[in-house]
Amino acid sequence: AQSVTQLGSHVSVSEGALVLLRCNYSSSVPPYLFWYVQYPNQGLQLLLKYTSAATLVKGINGFEAEFKKSETSFHLTKPSAHMSDAAEYFCAVRGSTSYDKVIFGPGTSLSVIP
Amino acid sequence: KAGVTQTPRYLIKTRGQQVTLSCSPISGHRSVSWYQQTPGQGLQFLFEYFSETQRNKGNFPGRFSGRQFSNSRSEMNVSTLELGDSALYLCASSLYVGADRDKGYTFGSGTRLTVV
C-alpha cells in the first residue's frame, strides 16, 4: 500500500529565506508524485508533478522538487520565500495502475515571517 | 475555461438528515474524484467516477455514496448525518483515468458541511 509522510506539520521561514518542505513516500511500484498547495478557504492547486521523467521537477511560483528513489523522498524547495507562499502544502502519491488512487500526506503549513 | 464548480459552498445540516453535494468538472474532463478534508484526518479519498462508473472507492461507510451523470457532473450523498461528517468536501476532475491521470487533478473550492 502506498503512503506519504510529511515531516513537520508547521514550518516557519523568514521572507527571502530558503523553503524546504519534506515528503517521503512508500510505494511498492514506481510512483507518480505530486505537490499541491491550498490557500485558506480554497481547493488544492497543483504545484508540480513527477512522472518518471527528469528527477528534478520545476513547478509554478518558483518551486521545484527532486525525486530521490534511494531515499524515497520528494522534497519541495524554493530558493527565496515570499509572503504569498504562506499556505498549506500537500505531497501526494499514486501508483502506476489505472485503479490506484491518489493518497495525500497530512500537509505542512508554511508561515512566512516578514 | 471554467474551473471545477462545487455547490453549495457552505451547508449546515442537523444530525440524522441527508445531504447532496454537486460537482461540475472542467469541460471535457471525464473523471471526478471526491475527498473529505478534516483537521484531524487530512484528505481522505471517498470515491472516483469515470464515464458514469465508480472506478475506485475509499474506506467510508455505506452512508456515503455518489454517482456521475452522462455530462460528467457528479453528486455525492451522505445519509443519516453524524457530527463527525462535518468537513470540507473537495471534488477533483481530470481528463482521463489511468496512466494519463498523472497530469494531476484540478480541484474545486469545496463544500463546507457543518453538522449540528
Side-chain angles (χ1 to χ4, degrees):
Chain A
Q2 300 148 59
S3 64
V4 179
T5 56
Q6 293 182 241
L7 184 63
S9 59
H10 188 259
V11 171
S12 291
V13 299
S14 298
E15 190 175 16
L18 171 72
V19 176
L20 170 61
L21 304 181
R22 300 178 186 274
C23 171
N24 288 87
Y25 68 91
S26 170
S27 176
S28 58
V29 296
Y32 296 119
L33 294 159
F34 310 86
W35 275 100
Y36 285 86
V37 61
Q38 185 179 33
Y39 298 101
N41 297 315
Q42 294 187 27
L44 280 69
Q45 180 184 2
L46 181 65
L47 272 178
L48 49 79
K49 60 184 183 291
Y50 167 76
T51 59
S52 74
T55 56
L56 182 62
V57 181
K58 294 187 184 299
I60 62 173
N61 302 338
F63 284 94
E64 62 182 36
E66 185 173 9
F67 172 69
K68 291 187 177 180
K69 185 177 179 180
S70 61
E71 299 178 8
T72 60
S73 68
F74 190 56
H75 302 330
L76 182 70
T77 60
K78 181 174 181 178
S80 177
H82 191 271
M83 296 298 294
S84 61
D85 294 327
E88 188 87 17
Y89 291 80
F90 294 92
C91 181
V93 64
R94 182 177 77 79
S96 57
T97 73
S98 62
Y99 290 94
D100 283 315
K101 53 198 176 198
V102 178
I103 304 298
F104 286 84
T108 296
S109 177
L110 175 67
S111 297
V112 182
I113 304 165
Chain B
K1 190 174 185 181
V4 179
T5 303
Q6 290 189 247
T7 56
R9 284 297 310 275
Y10 301 92
L11 205 51
I12 300 175
K13 289 286 188 179
T14 304
R15 270 185 305 174
Q17 287 185 314
Q18 76 165 12
V19 66
T20 299
L21 312 181
S22 178
C23 171
S24 294
I26 288 175
S27 178
H29 282 197
R30 297 167 63 190
S31 174
V32 173
S33 298
W34 288 89
Y35 285 82
Q36 181 196 64
Q37 185 178 24
T38 58
Q41 299 296 318
L43 282 150
Q44 301 288 311
F45 174 78
L46 281 156
F47 24 67
E48 177 182 21
Y49 288 87
F50 180 78
S51 293
E52 302 179 64
T53 301
Q54 188 180 89
R55 297 274 299 192
N56 217 331
K57 190 177 188 304
N59 297 322
F60 279 81
R63 300 185 296 106
F64 291 81
S65 63
R67 60 178 175 169
Q68 187 179 34
F69 302 95
S70 58
N71 62 358
S72 294
R73 189 177 71 86
S74 177
E75 289 182 347
M76 66 163 283
N77 184 77
V78 187
S79 62
T80 320
L81 283 166
E82 301 176 0
L83 295 179
D85 297 333
S86 295
L88 180 66
Y89 289 88
L90 291 165
C91 165
S93 79
S94 59
L95 187 57
Y96 299 110
V97 71
D100 288 326
R101 230 176 28 172
D102 65 352
K103 291 179 172 50
Y105 288 142
T106 300
F107 279 85
S109 297
T111 294
R112 173 77 62 185
L113 172 64
T114 302
V115 182
V116 297

